[in-house]
Coordinates of all heavy atoms in Angstrom, one line a residue:
M29 N 0.8 -1.2 0.0 CA 0.0 0.0 0.0 C 0.9 1.2 0.0 O 1.8 1.3 0.7 CB -0.9 0.0 1.2 CG -2.0 1.0 1.2 SD -3.3 0.7 2.3 CE -2.9 1.5 3.8
R30 N 0.5 2.2 -0.8 CA 1.3 3.4 -0.9 C 1.0 4.4 0.2 O -0.2 4.5 0.5 CB 1.1 4.1 -2.2 CG 1.6 3.4 -3.4 CD 1.1 4.0 -4.7 NE 2.0 5.1 -5.1 CZ 1.8 5.7 -6.3 NH1 0.8 5.4 -7.1 NH2 2.6 6.6 -6.7
T31 N 2.0 4.9 0.8 CA 1.7 5.9 1.8 C 1.3 7.2 1.2 O 1.9 7.7 0.2 CB 3.0 6.2 2.7 OG1 3.4 5.0 3.2 CG2 2.8 7.2 3.7
T32 N 0.2 7.8 1.7 CA -0.2 9.1 1.2 C -0.3 10.1 2.4 O -0.5 9.7 3.5 CB -1.6 9.1 0.5 OG1 -2.5 8.6 1.4 CG2 -1.5 8.2 -0.7
Y33 N -0.1 11.3 2.1 CA -0.2 12.4 3.1 C -1.2 13.4 2.6 O -1.4 13.6 1.4 CB 1.2 13.1 3.3 CG 2.2 12.2 3.8 CD1 3.3 11.7 3.0 CD2 2.2 11.8 5.1 CE1 4.2 10.9 3.5 CE2 3.2 10.9 5.6 CZ 4.2 10.5 4.8 OH 5.1 9.6 5.3
Q34 N -1.8 14.1 3.6 CA -2.8 15.1 3.2 C -2.0 16.5 3.2 O -1.3 16.8 4.1 CB -3.9 15.2 4.3 CG -4.9 14.1 4.1 CD -6.2 14.4 4.9 OE1 -6.2 15.1 5.9 NE2 -7.3 13.9 4.3
I35 N -2.2 17.2 2.1 CA -1.6 18.5 1.9 C -2.7 19.5 1.9 O -3.6 19.5 1.0 CB -0.8 18.6 0.6 CG1 0.1 17.3 0.4 CG2 0.0 19.9 0.6 CD1 1.2 17.1 1.5
I36 N -2.7 20.4 2.9 CA -3.6 21.5 2.9 C -3.0 22.7 2.1 O -1.9 23.1 2.4 CB -4.0 22.0 4.3 CG1 -4.6 20.9 5.1 CG2 -4.9 23.3 4.2 CD1 -4.8 21.2 6.6
V37 N -3.6 23.0 1.0 CA -3.0 24.0 0.1 C -4.1 25.1 -0.1 O -5.2 24.9 -0.6 CB -2.6 23.5 -1.3 CG1 -3.6 22.6 -1.9 CG2 -2.1 24.5 -2.2
D38 N -3.8 26.3 0.5 CA -4.8 27.4 0.6 C -6.1 26.8 1.2 O -6.0 26.3 2.3 CB -5.0 28.0 -0.8 CG -3.7 28.8 -1.2 OD1 -2.9 29.1 -0.3 OD2 -3.5 28.9 -2.4
D39 N -7.2 26.7 0.5 CA -8.4 26.3 1.1 C -8.8 24.8 0.7 O -9.9 24.4 0.8 CB -9.6 27.2 0.8 CG -9.8 27.4 -0.7 OD1 -9.0 26.9 -1.5 OD2 -10.9 27.9 -1.0
K40 N -7.9 24.1 0.1 CA -8.1 22.8 -0.4 C -7.3 21.7 0.3 O -6.3 22.1 0.9 CB -7.8 22.7 -1.9 CG -8.7 23.6 -2.8 CD -8.4 23.4 -4.2 CE -9.3 24.3 -5.0 NZ -8.7 25.2 -5.9
I41 N -7.7 20.5 0.3 CA -6.9 19.4 0.8 C -6.7 18.4 -0.4 O -7.7 18.0 -1.0 CB -7.7 18.7 1.9 CG1 -7.9 19.6 3.1 CG2 -6.8 17.5 2.4 CD1 -8.7 19.0 4.2
V42 N -5.4 18.1 -0.6 CA -5.1 17.1 -1.6 C -4.3 16.0 -1.0 O -3.6 16.1 0.0 CB -4.3 17.7 -2.8 CG1 -5.1 18.9 -3.4 CG2 -3.0 18.2 -2.4
N43 N -4.4 14.8 -1.6 CA -3.6 13.6 -1.2 C -2.3 13.6 -2.0 O -2.4 13.8 -3.3 CB -4.4 12.3 -1.4 CG -5.5 12.3 -0.3 OD1 -5.3 12.6 0.8 ND2 -6.7 11.8 -0.8
C44 N -1.2 13.4 -1.4 CA 0.1 13.3 -2.1 C 0.8 12.0 -1.7 O 0.9 11.7 -0.5 CB 0.9 14.5 -1.7 SG 2.5 14.6 -2.6
Y45 N 1.2 11.2 -2.7 CA 2.0 10.0 -2.4 C 3.4 10.4 -1.8 O 3.9 11.5 -2.1 CB 2.2 9.2 -3.6 CG 0.9 8.7 -4.2 CD1 0.5 9.1 -5.5 CD2 0.0 7.9 -3.5 CE1 -0.7 8.7 -6.1 CE2 -1.2 7.5 -4.1 CZ -1.5 7.9 -5.4 OH -2.7 7.5 -5.9
E46 N 3.9 9.5 -1.0 CA 5.2 9.8 -0.4 C 6.3 10.1 -1.4 O 7.3 10.9 -1.1 CB 5.6 8.7 0.6 CG 5.9 7.4 -0.1 CD 6.3 6.3 1.0 OE1 6.8 6.7 2.0 OE2 6.0 5.2 0.7
N47 N 6.3 9.5 -2.6 CA 7.4 9.8 -3.5 C 6.9 10.7 -4.7 O 7.6 10.8 -5.7 CB 7.8 8.5 -4.1 CG 8.6 7.6 -3.1 OD1 9.3 8.2 -2.3 ND2 8.3 6.3 -3.1
E48 N 5.8 11.4 -4.5 CA 5.3 12.3 -5.5 C 5.6 13.7 -5.1 O 5.5 14.1 -3.9 CB 3.8 12.1 -5.5 CG 3.0 12.9 -6.6 CD 1.5 12.6 -6.6 OE1 0.9 12.5 -5.5 OE2 1.0 12.6 -7.7
T49 N 6.0 14.5 -6.1 CA 6.2 15.9 -5.7 C 4.9 16.6 -5.4 O 3.8 16.2 -5.9 CB 6.9 16.7 -6.8 OG1 6.1 16.8 -7.9 CG2 8.3 16.0 -7.2
L50 N 5.0 17.7 -4.6 CA 3.8 18.5 -4.3 C 3.2 19.0 -5.5 O 1.9 19.0 -5.7 CB 4.1 19.6 -3.3 CG 4.6 19.2 -1.9 CD1 4.7 20.4 -1.0 CD2 3.8 18.1 -1.3
L51 N 4.0 19.4 -6.5 CA 3.4 20.0 -7.7 C 2.7 18.9 -8.5 O 1.5 19.1 -9.0 CB 4.5 20.6 -8.6 CG 4.0 21.2 -9.9 CD1 3.0 22.3 -9.7 CD2 5.2 21.7 -10.8
A52 N 3.2 17.7 -8.6 CA 2.5 16.6 -9.3 C 1.2 16.3 -8.6 O 0.2 16.1 -9.3 CB 3.4 15.4 -9.4
S53 N 1.2 16.3 -7.3 CA -0.1 16.0 -6.6 C -1.1 17.1 -6.9 O -2.3 16.8 -7.0 CB 0.2 15.7 -5.2 OG 0.3 16.9 -4.4
M54 N -0.7 18.3 -6.9 CA -1.6 19.4 -7.1 C -2.2 19.3 -8.5 O -3.3 19.6 -8.7 CB -1.0 20.7 -6.8 CG -0.8 21.0 -5.3 SD -0.3 22.7 -4.9 CE 1.5 22.5 -5.0
R55 N -1.3 19.0 -9.5 CA -1.8 18.9 -10.9 C -2.8 17.7 -10.9 O -3.8 17.8 -11.6 CB -0.7 18.6 -11.8 CG 0.3 19.8 -11.9 CD -0.3 21.1 -12.0 NE -1.3 21.2 -13.0 CZ -2.2 22.3 -13.1 NH1 -2.1 23.3 -12.3 NH2 -3.1 22.3 -14.0
R56 N -2.5 16.6 -10.3 CA -3.3 15.4 -10.3 C -4.7 15.7 -9.6 O -5.7 15.1 -10.0 CB -2.6 14.2 -9.6 CG -3.3 12.9 -9.7 CD -2.3 11.8 -9.2 NE -1.8 12.0 -7.9 CZ -2.5 11.9 -6.7 NH1 -3.7 11.6 -6.7 NH2 -1.8 12.1 -5.6
N57 N -4.7 16.5 -8.7 CA -5.9 16.9 -7.9 C -6.5 18.2 -8.4 O -7.4 18.7 -7.7 CB -5.6 17.0 -6.4 CG -5.3 15.6 -5.8 OD1 -6.2 14.9 -5.5 ND2 -4.0 15.3 -5.6
N58 N -6.1 18.6 -9.6 CA -6.8 19.8 -10.2 C -6.7 21.1 -9.4 O -7.7 21.8 -9.3 CB -8.2 19.5 -10.6 CG -8.3 18.3 -11.5 OD1 -7.6 18.2 -12.5 ND2 -9.2 17.3 -11.2
V59 N -5.6 21.3 -8.7 CA -5.4 22.6 -8.1 C -5.0 23.6 -9.1 O -3.8 23.6 -9.5 CB -4.4 22.5 -6.9 CG1 -4.2 23.9 -6.3 CG2 -4.9 21.5 -5.9
D60 N -5.9 24.4 -9.6 CA -5.6 25.3 -10.7 C -4.7 26.5 -10.3 O -4.2 27.2 -11.2 CB -6.9 25.8 -11.4 CG -7.6 24.6 -12.0 OD1 -7.0 23.6 -12.4 OD2 -8.9 24.7 -12.0
E61 N -4.7 26.8 -9.1 CA -4.0 28.0 -8.6 C -2.4 27.9 -8.8 O -1.8 28.9 -9.0 CB -4.3 28.3 -7.2 CG -5.7 28.7 -6.9 CD -6.7 27.6 -6.8 OE1 -6.2 26.4 -6.9 OE2 -7.9 27.8 -6.6
I62 N -1.9 26.7 -8.8 CA -0.5 26.5 -9.0 C -0.2 26.6 -10.5 O -1.0 26.1 -11.3 CB 0.0 25.1 -8.4 CG1 1.5 25.1 -8.3 CG2 -0.5 23.9 -9.1 CD1 2.1 25.7 -7.1
I63 N 0.9 27.2 -10.8 CA 1.2 27.4 -12.2 C 2.1 26.3 -12.7 O 3.1 26.0 -12.1 CB 2.0 28.8 -12.4 CG1 1.1 29.8 -11.8 CG2 2.3 29.0 -13.8 CD1 1.8 31.2 -11.6
N64 N 1.8 25.7 -13.9 CA 2.6 24.7 -14.5 C 3.9 25.4 -15.1 O 3.8 26.5 -15.6 CB 1.9 24.1 -15.7 CG 1.1 22.9 -15.3 OD1 1.4 22.2 -14.3 ND2 0.0 22.7 -16.0
G65 N 5.0 24.7 -14.9 CA 6.2 25.2 -15.5 C 7.0 24.1 -16.0 O 6.6 23.1 -16.6
C66 N 8.3 24.2 -15.6 CA 9.3 23.2 -16.2 C 9.2 21.8 -15.5 O 9.7 20.9 -16.0 CB 10.7 23.8 -16.0 SG 11.2 24.0 -14.3
F67 N 8.6 21.8 -14.3 CA 8.6 20.5 -13.5 C 10.0 20.1 -13.1 O 10.2 18.9 -12.8 CB 7.8 19.4 -14.1 CG 6.4 19.6 -14.1 CD1 5.7 20.4 -15.0 CD2 5.6 18.9 -13.1 CE1 4.3 20.5 -14.9 CE2 4.2 19.1 -13.0 CZ 3.6 19.9 -14.0
G68 N 11.0 21.0 -13.2 CA 12.4 20.5 -13.0 C 13.2 21.4 -12.1 O 14.4 21.3 -12.0
G69 N 12.6 22.4 -11.4 CA 13.3 23.2 -10.5 C 14.0 24.4 -11.1 O 14.7 25.1 -10.4
G70 N 13.6 24.7 -12.4 CA 14.3 25.8 -13.1 C 13.6 27.1 -13.2 O 14.2 28.2 -13.1
C71 N 12.3 27.1 -13.4 CA 11.6 28.3 -13.8 C 11.0 29.1 -12.6 O 10.7 30.3 -12.8 CB 10.4 27.9 -14.7 SG 9.0 27.1 -13.9
G72 N 10.9 28.5 -11.5 CA 10.4 29.2 -10.3 C 8.9 29.4 -10.2 O 8.4 30.1 -9.3
R73 N 8.1 28.9 -11.2 CA 6.7 29.2 -11.2 C 5.9 28.5 -10.1 O 4.8 28.9 -9.8 CB 6.1 28.8 -12.6 CG 6.6 29.8 -13.7 CD 5.9 29.5 -14.9 NE 6.4 30.4 -16.0 CZ 6.4 30.1 -17.2 NH1 5.9 28.9 -17.6 NH2 6.8 30.9 -18.1
C74 N 6.5 27.5 -9.5 CA 5.7 26.7 -8.6 C 6.2 27.0 -7.1 O 6.0 26.2 -6.2 CB 5.9 25.2 -8.8 SG 7.6 24.6 -8.6
L75 N 6.6 28.3 -6.9 CA 7.0 28.7 -5.6 C 5.9 28.6 -4.6 O 4.8 29.0 -4.8 CB 7.5 30.1 -5.7 CG 8.3 30.6 -4.4 CD1 9.6 29.9 -4.3 CD2 8.5 32.1 -4.6
I76 N 6.2 27.9 -3.4 CA 5.3 27.8 -2.3 C 5.9 28.2 -1.0 O 7.2 28.3 -1.0 CB 4.8 26.3 -2.2 CG1 5.9 25.4 -1.9 CG2 3.9 25.9 -3.4 CD1 5.5 24.0 -1.5
E77 N 5.1 28.4 0.0 CA 5.6 28.6 1.3 C 5.1 27.4 2.1 O 3.9 27.1 2.1 CB 5.1 29.9 1.9 CG 5.6 30.1 3.3 CD 5.3 31.5 3.8 OE1 4.5 32.2 3.2 OE2 5.8 31.9 4.9
V78 N 6.0 26.7 2.8 CA 5.7 25.6 3.7 C 5.3 26.2 5.1 O 6.1 26.9 5.7 CB 6.8 24.6 3.8 CG1 6.4 23.5 4.9 CG2 7.1 24.0 2.5
L79 N 4.1 26.0 5.5 CA 3.6 26.5 6.8 C 3.7 25.5 7.9 O 3.9 25.9 9.0 CB 2.1 27.0 6.6 CG 1.9 28.1 5.5 CD1 0.4 28.3 5.3 CD2 2.7 29.3 5.8
E80 N 3.5 24.2 7.5 CA 3.5 23.1 8.5 C 4.0 21.9 7.8 O 3.7 21.7 6.6 CB 2.2 22.9 9.2 CG 1.7 24.0 10.1 CD 0.3 23.7 10.6 OE1 -0.2 22.6 10.5 OE2 -0.4 24.7 11.0
G81 N 4.6 21.0 8.6 CA 5.0 19.7 8.1 C 6.4 19.5 7.6 O 7.2 20.5 7.6
S82 N 6.8 18.3 7.3 CA 8.1 18.0 6.9 C 8.1 17.4 5.5 O 7.1 16.9 5.0 CB 8.8 17.1 7.9 OG 8.1 15.9 8.0
Y83 N 9.3 17.5 4.9 CA 9.4 17.2 3.5 C 10.8 16.8 3.2 O 11.8 17.0 4.0 CB 9.0 18.4 2.6 CG 9.8 19.6 3.0 CD1 11.1 19.9 2.4 CD2 9.3 20.5 3.9 CE1 11.8 21.0 2.8 CE2 10.1 21.6 4.3 CZ 11.3 21.8 3.7 OH 12.1 22.9 4.1
K84 N 11.0 16.3 2.0 CA 12.3 15.9 1.4 C 12.6 16.7 0.2 O 11.6 16.9 -0.7 CB 12.4 14.4 1.1 CG 13.2 13.6 1.9 CD 13.4 12.2 1.5 CE 12.2 11.5 0.9 NZ 12.2 10.0 1.0
I85 N 13.8 17.2 0.0 CA 14.1 17.8 -1.3 C 14.6 16.7 -2.3 O 15.5 16.0 -1.9 CB 15.2 18.9 -1.1 CG1 14.6 20.0 -0.2 CG2 15.7 19.5 -2.4 CD1 15.6 21.0 0.2
C86 N 13.9 16.6 -3.4 CA 14.2 15.5 -4.4 C 15.0 16.0 -5.6 O 15.4 15.2 -6.4 CB 13.0 14.8 -4.7 SG 11.7 15.8 -5.6
R87 N 15.1 17.3 -5.8 CA 16.0 17.8 -6.9 C 16.4 19.2 -6.6 O 15.9 19.9 -5.8 CB 15.2 17.7 -8.3 CG 14.1 18.6 -8.5 CD 13.5 18.6 -9.9 NE 13.2 17.3 -10.4 CZ 11.9 16.8 -10.4 NH1 10.9 17.5 -9.9 NH2 11.7 15.6 -10.8
N88 N 17.4 19.6 -7.3 CA 18.0 20.9 -7.1 C 17.0 22.0 -7.5 O 16.3 21.9 -8.5 CB 19.3 21.1 -7.9 CG 20.4 20.2 -7.4 OD1 20.4 19.9 -6.3 ND2 21.3 19.9 -8.3
M89 N 17.0 23.1 -6.8 CA 16.2 24.2 -7.0 C 17.0 25.4 -7.5 O 18.1 25.7 -7.0 CB 15.4 24.6 -5.7 CG 14.5 23.6 -5.3 SD 13.5 24.1 -3.8 CE 14.4 23.1 -2.6
N90 N 16.5 26.1 -8.5 CA 17.1 27.3 -9.1 C 17.4 28.3 -7.9 O 16.4 28.8 -7.3 CB 16.3 27.9 -10.2 CG 16.9 29.0 -10.9 OD1 17.8 29.7 -10.3 ND2 16.6 29.2 -12.2
K91 N 18.6 28.7 -7.7 CA 18.9 29.6 -6.6 C 18.4 31.0 -6.9 O 18.3 31.8 -5.9 CB 20.5 29.6 -6.4 CG 21.0 28.2 -6.0 CD 22.0 28.3 -4.9 CE 22.6 27.0 -4.5 NZ 21.6 26.0 -4.2
E92 N 18.0 31.3 -8.1 CA 17.4 32.6 -8.4 C 16.1 32.7 -7.6 O 15.7 33.8 -7.2 CB 17.2 32.8 -9.8 CG 16.6 34.1 -10.3 CD 16.4 34.2 -11.8 OE1 17.1 33.5 -12.5 OE2 15.6 35.0 -12.2
Y93 N 15.4 31.6 -7.4 CA 14.1 31.6 -6.7 C 14.2 31.1 -5.3 O 13.4 31.5 -4.4 CB 13.1 30.8 -7.5 CG 13.0 31.3 -8.9 CD1 13.6 30.5 -9.9 CD2 12.4 32.5 -9.2 CE1 13.5 31.0 -11.2 CE2 12.4 32.9 -10.5 CZ 12.9 32.2 -11.5 OH 12.9 32.6 -12.8
V94 N 15.1 30.2 -5.0 CA 15.2 29.7 -3.6 C 16.7 29.9 -3.2 O 17.6 29.2 -3.6 CB 14.9 28.2 -3.6 CG1 15.1 27.6 -2.2 CG2 13.5 27.9 -4.0
K95 N 16.9 31.0 -2.4 CA 18.2 31.4 -2.0 C 18.7 30.4 -0.9 O 19.9 30.2 -0.8 CB 18.2 32.8 -1.5 CG 17.7 33.8 -2.5 CD 18.7 34.8 -3.0 CE 18.1 35.8 -3.9 NZ 17.8 35.3 -5.2
D96 N 17.8 30.0 -0.1 CA 18.2 29.2 1.1 C 17.3 28.0 1.2 O 16.1 28.2 1.5 CB 18.1 30.0 2.3 CG 18.5 29.3 3.6 OD1 18.9 28.1 3.5 OD2 18.4 29.9 4.7
E97 N 17.8 26.8 0.9 CA 16.9 25.6 1.0 C 16.4 25.3 2.4 O 15.5 24.5 2.6 CB 17.6 24.4 0.5 CG 17.8 24.4 -1.0 CD 18.4 23.2 -1.6 OE1 18.8 22.3 -0.9 OE2 18.5 23.1 -2.9
A98 N 17.0 25.9 3.4 CA 16.5 25.8 4.8 C 15.4 26.7 5.1 O 14.7 26.6 6.2 CB 17.7 26.0 5.8
S99 N 15.1 27.6 4.2 CA 13.9 28.5 4.4 C 12.6 27.8 4.1 O 12.7 26.6 3.6 CB 14.0 29.8 3.5 OG 13.6 29.5 2.2
N100 N 11.5 28.4 4.3 CA 10.2 27.7 4.1 C 9.7 28.1 2.7 O 8.6 27.7 2.4 CB 9.2 28.0 5.2 CG 9.0 29.4 5.4 OD1 9.6 30.3 4.8 ND2 8.0 29.8 6.3
R101 N 10.4 28.8 1.9 CA 10.0 29.2 0.5 C 10.7 28.3 -0.4 O 11.9 28.4 -0.6 CB 10.2 30.6 0.2 CG 9.3 31.5 1.1 CD 9.2 32.9 0.6 NE 8.2 33.6 1.4 CZ 7.8 34.8 1.1 NH1 8.2 35.4 0.1 NH2 6.9 35.3 1.9
L102 N 10.0 27.4 -1.1 CA 10.6 26.3 -1.8 C 9.8 26.1 -3.1 O 8.7 26.7 -3.3 CB 10.6 25.0 -1.0 CG 11.3 25.1 0.3 CD1 10.9 23.9 1.2 CD2 12.8 25.1 0.1
L103 N 10.3 25.3 -4.0 CA 9.6 25.0 -5.3 C 8.9 23.6 -5.1 O 9.5 22.6 -4.8 CB 10.7 24.9 -6.4 CG 11.4 26.2 -6.6 CD1 12.5 26.0 -7.7 CD2 10.5 27.3 -7.1
A104 N 7.6 23.7 -5.5 CA 6.7 22.5 -5.2 C 7.1 21.3 -6.1 O 6.8 20.2 -5.8 CB 5.3 22.9 -5.5
C105 N 7.8 21.6 -7.2 CA 8.2 20.4 -8.1 C 9.5 19.8 -7.6 O 9.9 18.8 -8.2 CB 8.4 20.9 -9.5 SG 9.9 22.0 -9.8
C106 N 10.0 20.2 -6.5 CA 11.3 19.7 -6.0 C 11.2 19.1 -4.6 O 12.3 18.7 -4.0 CB 12.3 20.9 -5.9 SG 12.7 21.6 -7.5
I107 N 10.0 19.0 -4.1 CA 9.9 18.4 -2.7 C 8.8 17.4 -2.7 O 7.8 17.5 -3.4 CB 9.7 19.5 -1.6 CG1 8.4 20.3 -1.8 CG2 10.9 20.4 -1.6 CD1 8.2 21.2 -0.6
T108 N 9.0 16.4 -1.8 CA 8.0 15.3 -1.6 C 7.7 15.4 -0.1 O 8.6 15.7 0.7 CB 8.6 14.0 -2.0 OG1 9.8 13.7 -1.3 CG2 8.9 13.9 -3.5
P109 N 6.5 15.0 0.3 CA 6.1 15.1 1.7 C 6.7 13.9 2.6 O 6.9 12.8 2.1 CB 4.6 15.0 1.7 CG 4.3 14.2 0.5 CD 5.4 14.5 -0.5
C110 N 7.0 14.2 3.8 CA 7.3 13.2 4.8 C 6.3 13.2 6.0 O 6.4 12.5 6.9 CB 8.7 13.5 5.5 SG 10.0 13.4 4.3
S111 N 5.2 14.0 5.8 CA 4.2 14.1 6.8 C 3.0 14.9 6.2 O 3.2 15.3 5.0 CB 4.6 14.9 8.1 OG 4.7 16.3 7.7
D112 N 1.9 14.9 6.8 CA 0.9 15.9 6.4 C 1.5 17.3 6.4 O 2.3 17.6 7.2 CB -0.4 15.8 7.3 CG -1.1 14.5 7.2 OD1 -0.9 13.7 6.2 OD2 -1.9 14.2 8.1
M113 N 1.0 18.1 5.5 CA 1.6 19.4 5.3 C 0.6 20.5 5.1 O -0.6 20.2 4.7 CB 2.6 19.5 4.1 CG 3.8 18.6 4.2 SD 4.9 18.7 2.8 CE 5.6 20.3 3.0
K114 N 0.9 21.7 5.4 CA 0.1 22.9 5.1 C 1.0 23.8 4.3 O 2.1 24.1 4.8 CB -0.4 23.5 6.3 CG -1.3 24.7 6.1 CD -1.9 25.2 7.4 CE -2.9 26.3 7.1 NZ -3.5 26.8 8.4
I115 N 0.6 24.2 3.1 CA 1.4 25.1 2.3 C 0.5 26.3 1.7 O -0.7 26.2 1.7 CB 2.0 24.3 1.1 CG1 1.0 23.8 0.1 CG2 2.9 23.2 1.6 CD1 1.5 23.2 -1.1
A116 N 1.2 27.3 1.3 CA 0.5 28.4 0.6 C 1.2 28.6 -0.8 O 2.5 28.5 -0.9 CB 0.6 29.7 1.4
I117 N 0.4 28.8 -1.8 CA 1.0 29.1 -3.1 C 1.4 30.5 -3.2 O 0.7 31.4 -2.9 CB -0.1 28.8 -4.2 CG1 -0.4 27.3 -4.2 CG2 0.5 29.2 -5.6 CD1 -1.6 26.9 -5.1
M118 N 2.7 30.8 -3.6 CA 3.2 32.1 -3.8 C 2.8 32.6 -5.2 O 2.8 31.7 -6.1 CB 4.7 32.2 -3.6 CG 5.2 31.5 -2.3 SD 4.6 32.3 -0.8 CE 5.4 33.9 -0.9
R119 N 2.5 33.8 -5.4 CA 2.2 34.3 -6.7 C 3.4 34.8 -7.4 O 3.7 35.9 -7.4 CB 1.1 35.4 -6.6 CG -0.1 35.0 -5.7 CD -0.9 33.9 -6.4 NE -1.9 33.5 -5.5 CZ -2.4 32.3 -5.5 NH1 -2.1 31.4 -6.4 NH2 -3.4 31.9 -4.6
N120 N 4.1 33.8 -8.0 CA 5.4 34.1 -8.7 C 5.2 34.0 -10.2 O 5.6 33.1 -10.8 CB 6.5 33.2 -8.2 CG 7.8 33.5 -8.7 OD1 8.1 34.7 -9.0 ND2 8.7 32.5 -8.9
R121 N 4.7 35.1 -10.8 CA 4.4 35.0 -12.2 C 5.4 35.8 -13.0 O 6.0 36.7 -12.5 CB 3.0 35.5 -12.5 CG 2.0 34.6 -11.9 CD 0.6 35.1 -12.1 NE -0.3 34.3 -11.3 CZ -1.1 33.4 -11.8 NH1 -1.1 33.1 -13.0 NH2 -1.9 32.7 -11.0
Ligands
LIG9 S1 7.7 24.0 -12.3 FE1 9.5 25.1 -12.8 S2 10.5 25.3 -10.9 FE2 8.8 24.1 -10.5

């Protein structure tokens, strides 16, 4: 059985598999507020703020958008959950 976590994103709750990026789960769950981009950590369009929960970084993030990986502002295509989480979508257009 696959482990899933609940991700509260703004006013919605989505399920995210433990090895799925937050961006992929939001796309799979039709969260239209997140912006599609490169899915590779380069374009910065999927910038989020982590409000609660723990996560793993699964690919490098463009330092133009994420200056400090220890901060709570990260790219949703580059992190996978390790717990239930609460996040906010940043408006990075
Ligand atoms: S979609 Fe481009 S950095 Fe996440």
